Amino acid sequence: MSMYQVKPVCGSLLKTDLPTCMYTLPNIHGQQGNSCTSDLCSQHALQNGEVDPAVKALEARQDEILRKLYELKAAVDGLAKTVTTPDADLDLTVSSSLSSQSPSSTTFTGVTNLDTLLGKDLGALRDIVINANPAQPPLTLLVLHSVLCQRYRVLSTVHVHSSVSNVPPQLLSCLGPRHADSYARQMFQLGFTLIWKDVPKLQMKFSVQNMCPIEGEANVARFLFKLLSPYPNDAALATLVDSWVDMAFFQLAEGSAKERAAVLRALNSALGRSPWLAGQEFSLADMACYCCVLQSGPASSTPSNVQRWLKSCENLGHFSPAKPFLQ
């Protein structure tokens, strides 16, 4: 049975107007079935294990871009400090200490855990930011920084705030030379940022969201020393250490001549009974008193037991960062 016929809707020679604003493509229907384009042929030719030179160039370009991104990230992290915590205007030097975590010449009792003391590491560098006045360099903190570098991988940075016009060169390099890997912040366990700023009292900031600022060199020294060794479990011994630290900063460094003489007599008496101020072990009390004694006057003017103790402190090798500021 035959079907009815229908007239054609359009003729075979109908032409369609195509847009001219787009790029043109070759007619795939006009290609022979057994032919291949040059791109496909080259792809089949490189399936035997060879690498296309264009791919090699692309990989090299990607590696270069990633390297520049790490450098930009380090620069942005430094600038971010000027917005969040430190109010720094100029990054002068970046240094680090990547020494092995071997114990120092002085054995600090106890084991510290950064995750316990500073919070769990979530991938960002735990940075301790300190604002200090260049007219009163925090020598105790420079000593503690040196000891921290022997225990941890520390990224150390020095900034200058716009409130300070002239900073001596030795203060700009007080944390050591610039390290080649300073842009790779993920390599370090701890950040130590020192900002020379016109502030009446030394201030430390660690976590703006979870922790209020710590003021005073004595309190900041206590915080940093706990990263090296926990405070004594004995309440009486811990109180003794705190009392020596307070006497060092409030009477030796800031007190009158009468107060200084009274503290030197107390030091001479205590050091006549034990080698160190807190007994048989070197502690924060010795660090603080050593720096404050030499800041307040020459070693030759101190009693005999104090002079012997000063030499014992120097033999430890921890106080070399403070020596240029004590001469």
Side-chain angles (χ1 to χ4, degrees):
M1 180 175 129
S2 61
M3 300 293 292
Y4 58 88
Q5 295 182 351
V6 179
K7 294 181 178 181
V9 178
C10 59
S12 59
L13 299 178
L14 181 64
K15 295 182 179 180
T16 305
D17 294 332
L18 299 177
T20 59
C21 61
M22 301 293 290
Y23 57 87
T24 60
L25 293 175
N27 186 0
I28 60 174
H29 300 287
Q31 299 177 357
Q32 300 296 328
N34 57 355
S35 63
C36 65
T37 63
S38 59
D39 293 339
L40 292 176
C41 293
S42 61
Q43 180 179 359
H44 290 300
L46 294 175
Q47 286 182 351
N48 57 358
E50 300 179 2
V51 180
D52 192 339
V55 176
K56 290 184 179 180
L58 184 62
E59 291 178 349
R61 182 169 176 267
Q62 181 182 9
D63 292 340
E64 179 67 14
I65 291 175
L66 290 176
R67 185 187 66 81
K68 292 182 178 180
L69 283 176
Y70 276 118
E71 295 178 354
L72 288 174
K73 182 178 182 299
V76 171
D77 288 340
L79 292 174
K81 298 173 188 176
T82 67
V83 179
T84 56
T85 49
D87 301 330
D89 292 332
L90 178 63
D91 183 6
L92 287 180
T93 171
V94 178
S95 65
S96 65
S97 177
L98 284 174
S99 59
S100 60
Q101 299 183 26
S102 57
S104 61
S105 56
T106 301
T107 302
F108 294 98
T109 59
V111 179
T112 57
N113 188 330
L114 287 180
D115 289 340
T116 302
L117 295 173
L118 302 180
K120 185 174 179 58
D121 183 7
L122 299 178
L125 181 66
R126 290 172 288 204
D127 199 358
I128 297 172
V129 181
I130 297 174
N131 295 324
N133 196 319
Q136 300 174 338
L139 303 187
T140 306
L141 304 190
L142 299 184
V143 174
L144 285 167
H145 166 264
S146 176
V147 182
L148 283 171
C149 289
Q150 299 177 17
R151 179 71 64 87
Y152 306 107
R153 297 189 301 273
V154 181
L155 175 62
S156 307
T157 314
V158 176
H159 299 273
V160 176
H161 190 260
S162 58
S163 61
V164 178
S165 56
N166 295 319
V167 178
Q170 58 184 357
L171 292 181
L172 301 180
S173 59
C174 61
L175 299 185
R178 183 185 181 92
H179 196 278
D181 295 328
S182 58
Y183 66 90
R185 294 170 66 88
Q186 69 275 8
M187 296 176 57
F188 303 91
Q189 296 175 286
L190 193 65
F192 193 100
T193 301
L194 178 59
I195 301 170
W196 297 116
K197 183 178 179 181
D198 186 13
V199 290
K201 185 179 295 186
L202 184 139
Q203 185 183 73
M204 189 202 83
K205 300 178 181 179
F206 175 67
S207 176
V208 179
Q209 294 81 10
N210 304 323
M211 177 178 163
C212 64
I214 299 177
E215 292 190 346
E217 185 174 350
N219 296 324
V220 176
R222 291 184 177 99
F223 178 89
L224 295 179
F225 190 82
K226 288 182 179 180
L227 302 181
L228 297 167
S229 177
Y231 254 44
N233 294 327
D234 185 0
L237 187 57
T239 303
L240 178 62
V241 172
D242 279 334
S243 65
W244 282 119
V245 171
D246 288 338
M247 279 192 287
F249 288 107
F250 297 116
Q251 297 183 32
L252 276 175
E254 301 177 1
S256 62
K258 185 176 181 180
E259 289 176 317
R260 179 178 180 273
V263 175
L264 288 177
R265 288 194 297 269
L267 285 171
N268 190 61
S269 175
L271 293 171
R273 298 187 297 268
S274 60
W276 304 108
L277 292 177
Q280 301 299 317
E281 295 179 353
F282 182 82
S283 68
L284 177 61
D286 300 285
M287 279 190 185
C289 288
Y290 174 90
C291 294
C292 292
V293 165
L294 294 183
Q295 275 183 304
S296 60
S300 58
S301 63
T302 58
S304 58
N305 290 334
V306 176
Q307 293 186 26
R308 173 184 53 80
W309 165 75
L310 290 174
K311 293 180 180 178
S312 299
C313 291
E314 293 174 359
N315 292 334
L316 296 177
H318 296 320
F319 296 93
S320 55
K323 281 295 186 64
F325 308 99
L326 295 174
Q327 297 175 355

